[in-house]
């Protein structure tokens, strides 16, 4: 098996290429979990958070900020790792099903497109403040927050 190709096939560059996959998952009644972030320097906190998110459903889709959006959000010295490196690391995690880039400041349009069953963010957010809350709630989905691992953050690293 060519593991690198397997990993790279988890990375989606255009959301339109995800339509068929989403349709298959929905046909099989698999719960789609969505979360997003920069995931600049992958660390224990990220792994624990993503593993818990993946456990909430059958398919985990991660919206990954592009380099340009990370720079706008975090400043000129970020990201440390470019979007291709960050995507490859996230895609190599066994519980990750798809990675999709987004260039906006928020993943609102991506959430509207994917229509996840479960939207996940860290517990530093109140559910009602999470971007996409209204979209997921309107379709009968859940918004779940996960406690962050104390002492682990990319900014502190």
């Amino acid at each position: 098996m060519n593991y690198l190709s397997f990993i790279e096939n988890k990375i989606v560059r255009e959301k339109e290429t995800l339509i068929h996959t989403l349709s298959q998952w929905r046909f099989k009644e698999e719960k789609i979990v969505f979360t997003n972030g920069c995931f600049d320097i992958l660390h224990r906190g990220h792994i624990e958070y993503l593993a818990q998110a993946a456990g909430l459903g059958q398919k985990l889709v991660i919206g990954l900020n592009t380099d340009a959006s990370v720079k706008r959000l975090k400043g000129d010295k970020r990201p440390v790792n470019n979007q291709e490196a960050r995507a490859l690391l996230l895609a190599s995690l066994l519980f990750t099903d798809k990675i999709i880039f987004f260039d906006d400041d928020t993943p609102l349009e991506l959430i509207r497109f994917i229509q996840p069953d479960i939207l996940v963010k860290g517990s530093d957010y109140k559910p009602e403040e999470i971007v996409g809350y209204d979209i997921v709630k309107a379709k009968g989905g859940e918004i779940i927050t996960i406690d962050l691992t104390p002492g682990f953050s990319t900014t502190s690293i």
Side-chain angles (χ1 to χ4, degrees):
M1 175 178 213
N2 184 338
Y3 285 107
L4 187 56
S5 290
F6 174 75
I7 292 167
E8 289 173 337
N9 284 333
K10 292 182 180 183
I11 303 169
V12 177
R13 294 173 196 308
E14 299 293 328
K15 65 183 182 184
E16 290 73 23
T17 62
L18 195 54
I19 292 171
H20 182 68
T21 302
L22 291 170
S23 295
Q24 286 180 322
W25 293 346
R26 286 196 182 95
F27 179 77
K28 294 177 184 176
E29 298 182 356
E30 294 176 307
K31 283 200 182 229
I32 300 168
V33 179
F34 177 85
T35 192
N36 67 281
C38 300
F39 302 101
D40 194 4
I41 301 173
L42 202 57
H43 54 70
R44 178 183 176 165
H46 289 141
I47 301 302
E48 290 181 8
Y49 168 82
L50 291 170
Q52 288 178 63
L56 298 170
Q58 286 79 44
K59 298 296 178 183
L60 177 64
V61 178
I62 302 172
L64 184 62
N65 292 77
T66 62
D67 291 347
S69 72
V70 174
K71 204 169 280 308
R72 287 193 306 272
L73 293 168
K74 306 282 186 175
D76 285 338
K77 294 185 190 260
R78 302 277 296 276
V80 173
N81 292 297
N82 69 34
Q83 66 193 41
E84 295 300 324
R86 292 182 286 122
L88 191 66
L89 286 169
L90 289 169
S92 71
L93 300 172
L94 72 102
F95 47 73
T96 301
D97 294 290
K98 292 290 179 186
I99 306 289
I100 183 162
F101 297 109
F102 70 98
D103 194 46
D104 300 323
D105 290 342
T106 74
L108 182 63
E109 290 307 314
L110 193 52
I111 292 166
R112 186 172 281 129
F113 176 81
I114 293 171
Q115 294 284 314
D117 299 295
I118 302 170
L119 177 61
V120 179
K121 285 299 280 180
S123 62
D124 50 335
Y125 288 88
K126 291 182 181 145
E128 310 78 40
E129 298 171 349
I130 296 170
V131 170
Y133 173 91
D134 53 337
I135 294 166
V136 175
K137 274 297 194 191
K139 68 170 290 234
E142 297 177 77
I143 290 77
I144 297 175
T145 60
I146 293 176
D147 289 337
L148 302 178
T149 305
F152 289 91
S153 77
T154 300
T155 302
S156 67
I157 292 173

